[in-house]
């Protein structure tokens, strides 16, 4: 059975050899799928098990816009799109925020989806500080990485480990908190 990209509708994943590991990639968005144990074969990246505890508590993100979708919700409350699904087992992927970037993890089969560029961002990360997306972090003021605007958690977006306001956020940034 062909696996499909969790983000790009009806886009089959294709095998890609990275070092001596065959992972799956989406030819459209260039994301990478790592089955259980495959990410662990890269010693300069954090092992997948460091993300699992946070993944079991984390919300999902929606396919269309990346809004957070709580575990008890079946569709995105903002745009009504489906949560991202695991290419291997079909379960919902959950969004884990790390010190380098947010990543999608399947708590069921322990696979990891990395958006384009996230594999490189994880290089050399020894303490990923994984936490569920939307989790309240110690009360430090949030500021947009681009314009410096002070932000409330409800107005903040995360992308590649940085925080942005709605005006400056990159297209695939993930909203940190939804009401």
């Amino acid at each position: 059975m062909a696996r499909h990209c969790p983000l790009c509708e009806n886009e089959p994943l294709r095998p890609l050899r990275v070092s001596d590991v065959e992972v799956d990639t989406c030819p459209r968005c260039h994301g990478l799928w790592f089955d259980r144990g495959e990410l662990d074969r890269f010693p300069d990246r954090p092992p997948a098990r460091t993300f699992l505890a946070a993944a079991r508590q984390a919300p999902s993100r929606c396919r269309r816009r990346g809004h957070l979708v709580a575990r008890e919700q079946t569709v995105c409350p903002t745009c009504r799109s489906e949560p991202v699904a695991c290419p291997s087992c079909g379960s919902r992927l959950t969004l884990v925020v790390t010190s380098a970037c947010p990543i999608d993890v399947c708590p069921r089969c322990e696979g990891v989806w990395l958006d384009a560029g996230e594999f490189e961002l994880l290089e050399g990360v020894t303490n990923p500080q994984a936490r569920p997306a939307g989790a309240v972090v110690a009360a430090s003021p949030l500021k947009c990485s681009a314009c410096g605007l002070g932000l409330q958690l409800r107005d903040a977006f995360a992308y590649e480990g940085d925080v942005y306001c709605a005006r400056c956020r990159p297209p695939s940034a993930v909203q940190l908190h939804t009401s």
Side-chain angles (χ1 to χ4, degrees):
M1 181 170 103
R3 297 180 189 197
H4 289 86
C5 176
L7 301 179
C8 301
E9 194 163 347
N10 297 322
E11 188 67 44
L13 296 175
R14 297 205 170 100
L16 174 70
R17 185 155 296 281
V18 180
S19 296
D20 65 338
V21 181
E22 188 173 284
V23 300
D24 296 305
T25 186
C26 175
R28 187 181 302 163
C29 72
H30 306 288
L32 297 170
W33 174 253
F34 294 84
D35 286 312
R36 180 182 185 174
E38 288 180 342
L39 187 60
D40 302 351
R41 295 179 61 190
F42 295 90
D44 57 347
R45 305 307 192 282
R49 71 180 171 278
T50 60
F51 309 122
L52 289 176
R56 290 186 178 105
Q57 302 169 27
S60 297
R61 65 171 164 156
C62 72
R63 279 181 86 164
R64 186 178 303 146
R65 306 285 293 185
H67 301 117
L68 291 184
V69 181
R71 291 182 297 168
E72 63 275 2
Q73 296 171 322
T74 57
V75 296
C76 175
T78 306
C79 68
R80 309 303 297 167
S81 74
E82 297 175 353
V84 292
C86 175
S88 290
C89 72
S91 295
R92 285 169 71 158
L93 295 178
T94 59
L95 190 64
V96 174
V97 177
T98 74
S99 58
C101 58
I103 63 171
D104 297 281
V105 179
C106 181
R108 184 173 179 204
C109 73
E110 300 180 9
V112 176
W113 174 261
L114 300 177
D115 291 337
E118 291 177 352
F119 182 71
E120 292 79 9
L121 289 172
L122 288 171
E123 185 175 6
V125 173
T126 57
N127 182 11
Q129 302 169 4
R131 64 186 185 280
V136 178
V137 186
S140 60
L142 295 174
K143 289 189 178 185
C144 177
S145 297
C147 70
L149 178 70
L151 299 169
Q152 296 293 320
L153 182 61
R154 68 177 180 271
D155 301 320
F157 294 82
Y159 182 74
E160 296 183 355
D162 291 320
V163 176
Y164 295 92
C165 68
R167 190 186 67 197
C168 298
R169 71 179 179 177
S172 56
V174 176
Q175 192 168 11
L176 291 178
H177 180 66
T178 58
S179 300

